[in-house]
Amino acid sequence: MTDARIPTARLGDHGPEVGVQGLGCMGMSFAYGPTDAEEARATLERALDLGVTLYDTADAYGDGDNERFLAPFVKAHRDDLVIATKFALSIPPDDPTKRIIRNDPPYIRQAVEASLKRLDVDVIDLYYMHRRDLNVPIEDSVGTMAELVREGKVKHLGLSEVTADELRAAHAVHPIAAVQSEWSLFSRDIEAKVVPAARELGVALVPYSPLGRGFLTGAFTSADTDLSADDFRRQQPRFTGDNATANAALLDPIRTVAASHGVSLGQVALAWVQQQAAVHGLPVIPIPGTRKRSRVEENTAATRIRLTDEELSLLDPIAAKVAGDRYADMTFTSAGRE
């Protein structure tokens, strides 16, 4: 094992310098079943040792619990990291099991104050609109976010799962540092319009679920046997029934490439995402999620893998063969609105 720190890249023309791979923190306290909090905290520290400086959370992850979980780590290393969080998924008071999308200015102001308090920080480094409420003009939402920058509550702005046109409209109001969308060997829809728009505007791409929520590691076989009852992947089309069986059969090209490099399937999948920066000519900072030190070591090592043109060609057809959508309801994604 090497302790070499990963290189850095700027988070778009208007964002901070960060490690070329970030860390998705959602699973440390939310969505993927039981977790070991002590190991998760050790994972945060290990990631920082390895040069990971972008840490991603959201107010919706456990109704703020994930932000609270991260707060002591952020406070201990405030000058060494970039903390990113999100707003937009609100809990209706009459049904705490549901989420509604809100982008209205009063809600944004309410949400940022709550996140600042939970994270125990004076300013949020990167503040994302988590999902798009079509009933609110994006210019109004981003206008309010821009006010937060001017007030010193937020440093940089981001958007998640927006279309190319939405990104352009937002960027015209205030510079956008990053767009966060799903991007992996299983999910490539953003390459058609969102990625070219981001390149044109000098916006970084922050791919979430670059490992296909674990599917691309080769460890998944069945939702019934591999996932706990409270694991949210049980509700996702790609992980259930015949879709899961069909998708598992798509991993053979990844195994071939992994064997040639002597690395894991997950490392090949991450290397592919990292290499999209060169393929598409824009900063790409994936945020694989993990709660284990061994995995963050494996993931960051993938930044040192270079795939050949032949290997990229071998992996290229996979996404078109994937069975099932990213979500049961795709209207909340950029692909569902393009």
Side-chain angles (χ1 to χ4, degrees), residues 129-335:
M129 178 193 294
H130 204 163
R131 290 293 186 270
R132 174 90 169 90
D133 178 359
L134 298 179
N135 296 313
V136 179
I138 198 165
E139 293 84 355
D140 292 355
S141 303
V142 177
T144 301
M145 295 168 73
E147 291 173 4
L148 300 180
V149 175
R150 290 191 288 272
E151 293 165 11
K153 295 176 180 179
V154 170
K155 289 184 180 178
H156 306 284
L157 303 185
L159 304 170
S160 181
E161 289 289 359
V162 292
T163 67
D165 286 345
E166 290 165 350
L167 173 57
R168 290 189 177 94
H171 194 78
V173 175
H174 187 279
I176 302 299
V179 167
Q180 185 174 134
S181 288
E182 187 166 353
W183 197 6
S184 73
L185 282 168
F186 266 17
S187 301
R188 298 180 59 182
D189 48 79
I190 66 169
E191 292 175 28
K193 294 183 178 180
V194 177
V195 170
R199 180 178 62 241
E200 166 196 328
L201 298 171
V203 176
L205 251 296
V206 178
Y208 71 83
S209 299
L211 293 170
R213 296 188 173 84
F215 214 128
L216 291 165
T217 67
F220 176 82
T221 55
S222 166
D224 293 332
T225 59
D226 295 347
L227 305 180
S228 61
D230 57 350
D231 193 308
F232 87 119
R233 289 173 292 182
R234 283 179 171 270
Q235 314 304 320
Q236 295 192 309
R238 292 177 178 178
F239 282 83
T240 56
D242 292 342
N243 286 350
T245 301
N247 292 334
L250 300 178
L251 303 183
D252 284 346
I254 307 175
R255 292 190 176 92
T256 299
V257 176
S260 69
H261 286 267
V263 299
S264 70
L265 274 68
Q267 286 177 308
V268 170
L270 279 175
W272 181 88
V273 176
Q274 301 275 180
Q275 212 155 320
Q276 299 312 297
V279 172
H280 292 278
L282 79 170
V284 176
I285 316 293
I287 48 169
T290 186
R291 47 198 178 186
K292 295 181 179 179
R293 282 169 286 181
S294 60
R295 290 300 184 198
V296 84
E297 290 164 357
E298 177 181 330
N299 291 347
T300 53
T303 64
R304 297 186 286 276
I305 299 170
R306 291 294 174 268
L307 305 178
T308 66
D309 290 343
E310 291 76 12
E311 289 167 338
L312 291 173
S313 295
L314 183 64
L315 299 172
D316 188 67
I318 292 174
K321 301 176 183 178
V322 172
D325 283 329
R326 298 201 265 129
Y327 294 96
D329 184 353
M330 288 289 286
T331 60
F332 301 116
T333 71
S334 59

Side-chain angles (χ1 to χ4, degrees), residues 59-60 63 88-102 107 110:
D59 61 2
D63 190 18
L89 300 181
S90 173
I91 301 174
D94 58 337
D95 190 349
T97 66
K98 292 185 177 180
R99 298 289 187 273
I100 58 174
I101 300 176
R102 290 189 61 181
Y107 180 75
Q110 173 188 331

